[in-house]
Structures are given as structure tokens and as C-alpha cells.
Amino acid sequence: MGWFSKSNDFFLSTTTPPGIEMNQYLGVVNGEAIIGANIFRDMFASVRDVVGGRAGGYERALAGARDAAVEGLIEAAKELGATGVIGIDFDYEVMGENNGMMMVAVSGTAVKLA
């Protein structure tokens, strides 16, 4: 099973779903976004660690970074003339001297659909 999204003008997929035909493979494309943790989000996350629950501020920041990374991926693919990206893979990395930043990277293969 894989995830895919098809809008009127662009196709994204973790796999190649049945019935989708490619005209041309254009190369690997990627998008990245880096978010920094702030003191208030850290403070509330610490409270959540003690009392339990989800860290909504971190979840929203991570979702925003993931969306920005996907937008960068789509822009890079469109620059190559692609109409879709297949084989999408997301990676998350904690960065910074005190692990105060997180990077979201997404990569895949830009393609022209038939």
C-alpha cells in the first residue's frame, strides 16, 4: 500500500499505483524545511511530558514543515517539466547544537505522466 494524491495538475505518490503510466523519468527531486523549537513550545511540551497528552504546538510546527518540504519538492519537479513525483520518501532529522531544530526532507523521482 502507498499514499498518493492526484490534483488537476500534479500527481504525488509513495508508489506507482496501477493504471498510472509514465512517459518520462526526469530525475530525483527533493524539498527540505527546518523548524526551530521555541522556549514556550518547549515549556509546554515539558508539562505534557509530566502530565501526559499530545504536544499540539510541536505537531502543528512539524505539519507546517512537512507541507513546506512537499511544496519545495513540487516546485523542483515542475522546474524539470514534471507532472508528478513517484517514490516519495520523508525523512526527519534532529539538528543543532542542543538538538533545538528539526529538518524534514522529502525526495522522489520526477516524472511526466502519459
Side-chain angles (χ1 to χ4, degrees):
M1 293 295 301
W3 172 88
F4 73 94
S5 170
K6 185 174 184 181
S7 67
N8 291 336
D9 65 339
F10 209 79
F11 176 84
L12 297 172
S13 176
T14 57
T15 62
T16 305
I20 299 296
E21 295 182 35
M22 260 69 65
N23 266 354
Q24 186 177 10
Y25 293 89
L26 302 172
V28 174
V29 290
N30 55 56
E32 298 89 15
I34 298 175
I35 56 171
N38 70 40
I39 189 167
F40 298 112
R41 212 169 28 225
D42 287 346
M43 184 175 64
F44 290 120
S46 297
V47 171
R48 293 247 193 283
D49 285 345
V50 173
V51 299
R54 295 172 63 165
Y58 277 120
E59 289 175 352
R60 284 187 296 278
L62 188 56
R66 190 173 44 248
D67 290 345
V70 169
E71 286 177 23
L73 173 86
I74 291 170
E75 286 177 26
K78 285 183 175 180
E79 286 178 12
L80 295 176
T83 56
V85 178
I86 61 170
I88 291 175
D89 178 56
F90 287 92
D91 291 306
Y92 301 87
E93 184 72 35
V94 177
M95 302 171 61
E97 189 174 312
N98 296 317
N99 295 332
M101 299 180 356
M102 176 168 287
M103 177 180 71
V104 178
V106 61
S107 60
T109 303
V111 296
K112 281 191 178 183
L113 299 179

